Amino acid sequence: MNAAGTCKSLDEVSVLARSAVSAVVVGSITLRPRTGNGGNVYYPGDFFSLNALGLPNPGLAYYREHLPAMISMAHAAGKPLVVSIAGFSEAEYAVVAHDVALAGVDIIELNLACPNVWDDGRQKRIACFDNDRTEAICAQVSQALTTAAATSTAAGDSADRQPPPFGIKISPFSDPAGLAALAGLVARLSGTPQGPRFVCAVNTFPNAFVLDEANRPVIDVELAGLAGAALRPVALGQVRQLRRLLPETVELIGAGGVSRGRDIADFLCAGATAVQAATAFWNRNGDAGVFGDILTDYVDLF
Ligand SMILES: Cc1cc2nc3c(=O)[nH]c(=O)nc-3n(C[C@H](O)[C@H](O)[C@H](O)COP(=O)(O)O)c2cc1C
């Protein structure tokens, strides 16, 4: 799949639906429109990327209007549409989840890991590092999805609409005990409506800092999320640990430095059932052909 942060508009869905991805991931989207950060927000390093986009997206009203067409485009290509949601409170996650479920999206990814979000000059806590917060978000989202499914069924949209499955996307945990605690929560919730059906590991490593030759920060807001090849061993390690900690019913999606067939093989070997890529796409200036090239490279391994 394309990882979140690569597709936000109807035109982009149209391109990605016709690419080699097996599912189209839209987002992350938020309740209100966001312009994101200004200036240099992406740096394509040789071994890593940096980004501090700040979740630019047109906001929920745009997606209420355009999701039906986005879903049709993905389905016409035989692909599910995944929406990644970011929120600034449990209630925001729930409102957005409700409306995207009502629109009929296939899968929801809760981005509990966005590091580049600031409020009144202070960096917000990354949600997945707080188990109580993660549990509260899952509970409120689950409730919202059940309500949306009941509304669709009552409106006669379908005989018995089931809530779409949702999963969580996490930040890399450098504390193995912290990762085990998160996995313990997901294991405890699994099999209940509040249980994430998958964990996507990982989002960018927070607050990296790089200077150019003139000692200027390469990213204007200075601190940025690190991704790309340098993140791959970390992401693989998270997937490996999670596979051992979680019940088999909870699937893993690997993200971090996927740019060659060998990277897909490594993530599958570590325990993922699917992979996502963002940096490979951004480093090719948004050329969706990159996904076909990575898959061809994977097939050539055999
Ligand atoms: C430019 C850029 C924007 C991103 N935006 C989002 C986002 O909106 N939501 C999210 O969950 N992850 C976002 N990510 C993280 C990616 O989805 C992915 O988890 C991470 O970059 C690791 O994969 P990669 O090494 O293939 O880039 C973004 C990454 C990049 C490079």
Side-chain angles (χ1 to χ4, degrees):
M1 297 171 222
N2 60 301
T6 52
C7 174
K8 303 218 168 158
S9 69
L10 192 59
D11 287 347
E12 288 163 351
V13 171
S14 162
V15 172
L16 278 156
R18 287 180 277 114
S19 80
V21 294
S22 59
V24 178
V25 180
V26 176
S28 297
I29 75 169
T30 55
L31 181 59
R32 276 179 272 282
R34 291 175 58 83
T35 47
N37 296 319
N40 288 333
V41 291
Y42 185 75
Y43 174 74
D46 286 338
F47 304 106
F48 59 86
S49 69
L50 294 182
N51 92 82
L53 268 62
L55 291 173
N57 78 95
L60 183 59
Y62 171 89
Y63 293 100
R64 273 198 212 104
E65 183 182 345
H66 294 292
L67 268 177
M70 291 178 172
I71 294 166
S72 299
M73 281 173 183
H75 287 186
K79 298 166 191 199
L81 192 93
V82 183
V83 171
S84 163
I85 299 174
F88 300 96
S89 66
E90 288 85 353
E92 274 193 32
Y93 279 98
V95 169
V96 179
H98 175 275
D99 287 7
V100 303
L102 211 53
V105 304
D106 300 291
I107 298 170
I108 292 174
E109 185 177 277
L110 303 175
N111 176 9
L112 304 186
C114 201
N116 302 318
V117 177
W118 298 69
D119 200 9
D120 289 337
R122 291 181 53 186
Q123 193 162 23
K124 303 256 303 178
R125 181 106 203 253
I126 293 177
C128 68
F129 292 134
D130 177 345
N131 257 7
D132 291 341
R133 180 115 195 268
T134 298
E135 185 166 7
I137 293 169
C138 290
Q140 291 207 24
V141 164
S142 160
Q143 177 72 51
L145 297 182
T146 305
T147 306
T151 307
S152 300
T153 305
D157 287 358
S158 80
D160 184 16
R161 171 85 75 92
Q162 293 300 311
F166 73 89
I168 58 174
K169 179 162 180 189
I170 62 168
S171 204
F173 282 71
S174 58
D175 175 9
L179 187 63
L182 183 271
L185 170 66
V186 173
R188 176 161 64 74
L189 297 177
S190 89
T192 74
Q194 295 85 37
R197 296 267 289 277
F198 63 90
V199 178
C200 177
V202 285
N203 207 312
T204 54
F205 190 93
N207 287 14
F209 180 59
V210 173
L211 297 166
D212 66 15
E213 282 163 9
N215 283 340
R216 281 184 309 251
V218 297
I219 298 289
D220 283 353
V221 295
E222 299 196 351
L223 299 178
L226 182 142
L231 186 63
R232 192 187 317 123
V234 175
L236 282 165
Q238 303 281 300
V239 168
R240 190 64 160 173
Q241 292 171 84
L242 285 167
R243 191 62 286 154
R244 292 186 170 134
L245 291 163
L246 288 170
E248 288 205 344
T249 47
V250 180
E251 297 197 55
L252 292 170
I253 300 175
V258 172
S259 70
R260 306 162 305 175
R262 180 62 209 251
D263 307 329
I264 299 180
D266 286 354
F267 272 104
L268 298 184
C269 199
T273 47
V275 298
Q276 301 178 342
T279 294
F281 173 81
W282 274 79
N283 282 3
R284 282 253 302 249
N285 297 317
D287 171 9
V290 73
F291 299 108
D293 292 345
I294 298 172
L295 272 173
T296 304
D297 193 38
Y298 175 64
V299 170
D300 285 347
L301 292 176
F302 302 99

